[in-house]
Amino acid sequence: MAGPDGAVVSTPTHAPHMATMNPMHQAALSMAHAHGLPSHMGCMSDVDADPRDLEAFAERFKQRRIKLGVTQADVGSALANLKIPGVGSLSQSTICRFESLTLSHNNMIALKPILQAWLEEAEKSHREKLTKPELFNGAEKKRKRTSIAAPEKRSLEAYFAIQPRPSSEKIAAIAEKLDLKKNVVRVWFCNQRQKQKRMKYSAGI
DNA sequence: ATGCATGAGGC
DNA sequence: CCTCATGCATA
């Protein structure tokens, strides 16, 4: 299903990983913030951690992005042009996940101000009919993606249901039963745990 | 849009 | 080895 903005663009200009945003403890993630939200605050930045605000922003963001005729991949590479310290480009995947709220709450909060800044610049430029220089390049990489068959996937899900964090030995045993590489199984469990923490599927919101 | 993967940082 | 942010490859 290639969506209207399902552009596949390569972003070769890749900076090594940038800044580490917020070192935080896992326990601090499920923090709530039930305050009355006073209506006369001085000038708070975008440090609000309200899921409803994030949801609203993500939706507005997507709509305005589309109005501008910009793809998710375009936004990702354009971020580098903002020249924000510690902020480079992002992938189509990340922009997509931001819009669909399939990132961790913390990740959403960290990305919001950056994407908001981009949106404001993009709309300003659009008004002025300015064209931004595009950056194209050729790429030549071919990483392969393992594909776990449905039966094996169902087994993994069953194991996950009773033990989300199996020991190394248990993982090895599961890997052998399903005839998969141990590392493939280990990573599958890691990714599964991460999925549970996505904003959209987390019950703690 | 999403599955499997990588790498930094942490314990 | 884990978590977390992030991305290539692909459905």
Side-chain angles (χ1 to χ4, degrees):
Chain A
M1 299 104 163
D5 44 43
V8 182
V9 159
S10 19
T11 317
T13 33
H14 188 256
H17 272 53
M18 8 147 230
T20 307
M21 317 222 182
N22 304 303
M24 180 174 262
H25 297 145
Q26 0 176 169
L29 285 173
S30 12
M31 185 198 80
H33 52 276
H35 54 235
L37 187 57
S39 47
H40 63 279
M41 292 205 281
C43 52
M44 230 167 105
S45 302
D46 299 288
V47 197
D48 63 281
D50 193 326
R52 290 160 302 177
D53 283 355
L54 288 172
E55 191 165 340
F57 177 74
E59 195 165 318
R60 272 180 291 131
F61 178 87
K62 180 171 187 175
Q63 240 176 336
R64 302 174 86 176
R65 186 205 100 216
I66 292 173
K67 280 293 183 186
L68 291 170
V70 179
T71 67
Q72 296 170 332
D74 289 337
V75 175
S77 29
L79 292 179
N81 302 89
L82 286 179
K83 294 294 197 285
I84 298 175
V87 177
S89 58
L90 287 176
S91 66
Q92 173 264 328
S93 304
T94 299
I95 304 304
C96 173
R97 285 167 174 152
F98 179 85
E99 294 182 346
S100 59
L101 305 172
T102 45
L103 287 175
S104 70
H105 187 194
N106 265 357
N107 203 356
M108 291 292 295
I109 291 172
L111 259 31
K112 184 190 171 192
I114 295 168
L115 294 181
Q116 187 159 47
W118 170 79
L119 183 58
E120 284 163 17
E121 283 306 298
E123 296 190 314
K124 183 191 302 175
S125 298
H126 189 256
R127 272 180 249 116
E128 301 169 10
K129 289 182 179 291
L130 291 179
T131 18
K132 279 187 270 182
E134 306 226 330
L135 179 62
F136 286 126
N137 217 309
E140 15 67 23
K141 30 184 68 179
K142 272 304 173 186
R143 184 170 106 194
K144 197 50 180 175
R145 198 172 92 184
T146 303
S147 190
I148 301 175
E152 285 68 37
K153 227 176 262 188
R154 275 187 261 106
S155 294
L156 288 171
E157 281 161 5
Y159 283 121
F160 187 82
I162 61 176
Q163 180 50 268
R165 298 186 56 176
S167 67
S168 192
E169 284 69 47
K170 189 63 181 175
I171 289 178
I174 294 174
E176 192 165 340
K177 282 190 182 184
L178 303 181
D179 191 39
L180 292 172
K181 298 287 178 54
K182 183 183 175 183
N183 199 54
V184 168
V185 175
R186 185 185 64 74
V187 171
W188 185 87
F189 273 89
C190 284
N191 283 321
Q192 210 57 30
R193 277 176 229 126
Q194 252 195 314
K195 280 187 187 176
Q196 290 192 312
K197 298 180 179 175
R198 285 177 181 174
M199 211 187 140
K200 261 205 164 172
Y201 305 116
S202 182
I205 56 177

